[in-house]
Amino acid sequence: MGVTRTGPLPAGPAAEYDVVVVGAGVVGCAVARALARHPLRIALVEAANDVGDGTSKANTAILHTGFDAAPGTLEARLVREGHRMLDAYAREAGIPVEPLGALLVAWDEQQRAALPRLAEKAERNGHRTTRLLTAAELALREPHLGAGTLAALEVPGESVICPWTTTLAYATQAVRSGVDLHLNCRVEKVRPGDTHHRLVTGRGVLRTRHLVNACGLHADGFDALLGRADFTVTPRRGQLLVFDKFARDLVRHILLPVPGPLGKGVLVSPTVYGNVMLGPTAEDLDDKTATGTTAEGLAGLREQGGRILPALLDEEVTAVYAGLRAATGREDYRIAAHPALRYVTVGGIRSTGLTASLAIADHVLGLLADCGLDPGPERPLAPVRMPNIGEAFPRPYRDAGLIARDPEFGEIVCHCEQVTRGEVRAAFASAIPPAGPDGLRRRTRARGGRCQGNFCGAELNALSREYEEGTG
């Protein structure tokens, strides 16, 4: 069956699954991929028209070591394991990763006094390579930092990664390995049963023996459909500024603040796309759809960025965006099995969820076994190699051999991001094609540069129609 976006869901035996995973963010896609290693009938169900369309598309894109997680928590363990697993998987699947290392910068005496405690915390989390830097050493590492730095903690191993490619790689491998992906398919009701649950969606009914809630911001609402009220999700908005590629030479590491009570605070970081990112804010809200930016929030970011890296404010901003994290009032994940319901909740997955995703997936498989699922023997997954959209790795427009074989990979259609007609064509021919401009951007970077689609938008729209209709 593969991928469905419209029309009624299948009926009869085709609508019956061993496991349905609800929510196709990075964690839900990772869980579906892990289940696909076994001879099971699996469905991945998503309310949006694409995978990775919620929190997973709008984050700081850090591959964390877990050095500052609360020791002894489930999050600390899964982030540590997930970092190792995703680092290896990224090399295998072609996901762009740049191991830049991080510097936690102290700007006052209180922050400087906290650095040794953070180093000790990192050691308790198994990260034993941190090192304290003096102000003079820090200035040599990051010559464009603002005045007044006192010291820093060096954290090797912290990396930047492409969150879009990661989620899409998991989903692609799951679909190629037999998982059914149903998009535009919001679950409206769940009717538990002795042998099967009935999921009533806007496109029809699915039946499943076991159920996984990977609904992110809406995990508490989905829990309520099964009579659970174990936690409440508070959306925590993070606004971010993305600076032009001319800013890239201003920073060499991921520059982290000393963490505060609302999270890791405002950072300055390169991206795998060649830009520099500043943010995020941390604003607890009531509205789980409030992904707009505010003048106040962006002004606050610029003020903090001007202190951290003064020259950054002289560079152009190419984009602003906001993402919502799922805060639950506890500094740990809310992952739990409910054997009587044959149901697993995967909630409270905050900014570390990208890093921990593969380890979370394996943990969820264990919990499903506790709920009575017999997965059967393991089998190999279909191989996957994703198109590269990172600047540190070869891009198609620079590959003379590829262009000689297929000239469309030398025909640039988005000049800001150097995206070619061949890449757009390949995106629409992929296992999970884009459903609109945002989906195309996450697969190719088209419309993601200085002009934000003002120059290339019309041509890309025409190309998209051609490939969607099969006439291109």
Side-chain angles (χ1 to χ4, degrees):
M1 187 178 303
V3 181
T4 72
R5 276 196 169 101
T6 58
L9 293 172
E16 190 169 297
Y17 294 94
D18 296 305
V19 186
V20 169
V21 180
V22 183
V26 69
V27 171
C29 291
V31 172
R33 172 188 173 274
L35 286 164
R37 295 197 302 250
H38 302 275
L40 299 166
R41 289 212 70 232
I42 309 299
L44 177 61
V45 175
E46 169 58 46
N49 68 1
D50 201 358
V51 300
D53 197 55
T55 299
S56 299
K57 73 177 179 185
N59 53 59
T60 52
I62 306 294
L63 181 54
H64 296 284
T65 59
F67 76 96
D68 60 344
T73 60
L74 178 64
E75 181 180 19
R77 176 171 70 82
L78 295 181
V79 170
R80 185 170 61 249
E81 294 173 2
H83 178 273
R84 172 182 52 79
M85 296 170 73
L86 182 49
D87 187 58
Y89 181 74
R91 290 193 294 271
E92 170 191 318
I95 299 168
V97 175
E98 292 186 49
L100 303 174
L103 299 174
L104 273 82
V105 181
W107 297 88
D108 58 42
E109 289 296 340
Q110 184 177 6
Q111 291 178 358
R112 177 159 66 176
L115 295 181
R117 294 195 298 271
L118 286 166
E120 180 186 348
K121 187 178 187 180
E123 187 164 352
R124 282 185 285 150
N125 281 321
H127 196 77
R128 298 180 175 83
T129 59
T130 61
R131 188 169 75 88
L132 293 170
L133 302 179
T134 65
E137 290 175 309
L138 177 58
L140 289 174
R141 295 289 192 90
E142 290 288 351
H144 297 286
L145 277 173
T149 59
L150 301 179
L153 181 68
E154 180 187 14
V155 187
E158 295 277 303
S159 305
V160 292
I161 188 170
C162 178
W164 305 333
T165 307
T166 303
T167 304
L168 193 59
Y170 295 163
T172 298
Q173 196 163 32
V175 167
R176 289 180 178 172
S177 301
V179 171
D180 291 338
L181 171 61
H182 300 304
L183 299 165
N184 292 314
C185 192
R186 183 180 301 277
V187 177
E188 299 167 350
K189 295 179 183 177
V190 178
R191 295 173 179 157
D194 291 338
T195 59
H196 288 82
H197 303 309
R198 286 170 53 86
L199 275 61
V200 180
T201 81
R203 294 176 51 202
V205 177
L206 298 173
R207 288 163 47 85
T208 181
R209 292 169 51 225
H210 294 82
L211 185 58
V212 176
N213 169 1
C215 295
L217 290 168
H218 302 281
D220 55 346
F222 193 88
D223 258 5
L225 297 180
L226 285 100
R228 307 291 311 183
D230 300 329
F231 59 87
T232 298
V233 173
T234 298
R236 182 169 292 165
R237 180 167 60 190
Q239 302 182 49
L240 298 109
L241 290 163
V242 180
F243 288 85
D244 194 274
K245 292 173 175 57
F246 289 119
R248 180 62 183 83
D249 290 338
L250 295 176
V251 60
R252 302 171 182 175
H253 303 77
I254 303 164
L255 301 180
L256 300 175
V258 177
L262 282 179
K264 300 185 192 315
V266 172
L267 60 84
V268 175
S269 174
T271 74
V272 295
Y273 320 115
N275 301 89
V276 174
M277 178 187 298
L278 170 66
T281 58
E283 313 152 53
D284 285 350
L285 307 174
D286 296 323
D287 184 355
K288 293 181 179 180
T289 65
T291 56
T293 57
T294 66
E296 180 183 14
L298 298 179
L301 286 179
R302 289 184 66 87
E303 181 181 352
Q304 294 185 68
R307 182 186 183 191
I308 299 167
L309 211 66
L312 189 60
L313 299 191
D314 295 329
E315 302 296 335
E316 291 189 10
V317 172
T318 60
V320 298
Y321 68 93
L324 299 174
R325 291 103 80 189
T328 63
R330 181 190 295 176
E331 296 301 300
D332 201 357
Y333 296 156
R334 298 294 190 104
I335 303 177
H338 308 290
L341 289 169
R342 305 184 308 282
Y343 171 59
V344 175
T345 299
V346 189
I349 310 301
R350 301 168 301 145
S351 59
T352 56
L354 171 62
T355 300
S357 52
L358 291 175
I360 291 172
D362 283 354
H363 182 66
V364 168
L365 259 64
L367 295 179
L368 284 169
D370 294 341
C371 292
L373 176 68
D374 179 5
E378 281 203 22
R379 60 186 184 183
L381 291 166
V384 65
R385 185 74 183 177
M386 303 302 293
N388 169 55
I389 60 172
E391 281 298 289
F393 306 90
R395 296 278 307 283
Y397 76 94
R398 290 180 172 175
D399 189 335
L402 175 61
I403 295 167
R405 295 190 298 274
D406 189 337
E408 287 194 350
F409 283 100
E411 185 180 337
I412 292 175
V413 292
C414 170
H415 289 269
C416 295
E417 297 297 292
Q418 304 291 293
V419 179
T420 67
R421 184 183 181 117
E423 290 172 274
V424 175
R425 185 194 69 209
F428 280 96
S430 65
I432 309 173
D438 287 345
L440 183 62
R441 182 172 65 247
R442 292 196 294 270
R443 287 159 175 82
T444 65
R445 284 174 40 187
R447 286 188 173 96
R450 296 183 186 101
C451 81
Q452 291 290 291
N454 285 314
F455 180 78
C456 62
E459 183 176 3
L460 286 168
N461 285 338
L463 277 180
S464 297
R465 285 193 296 271
E466 286 181 27
Y467 294 129
E468 286 171 342
E469 295 167 2
T471 59

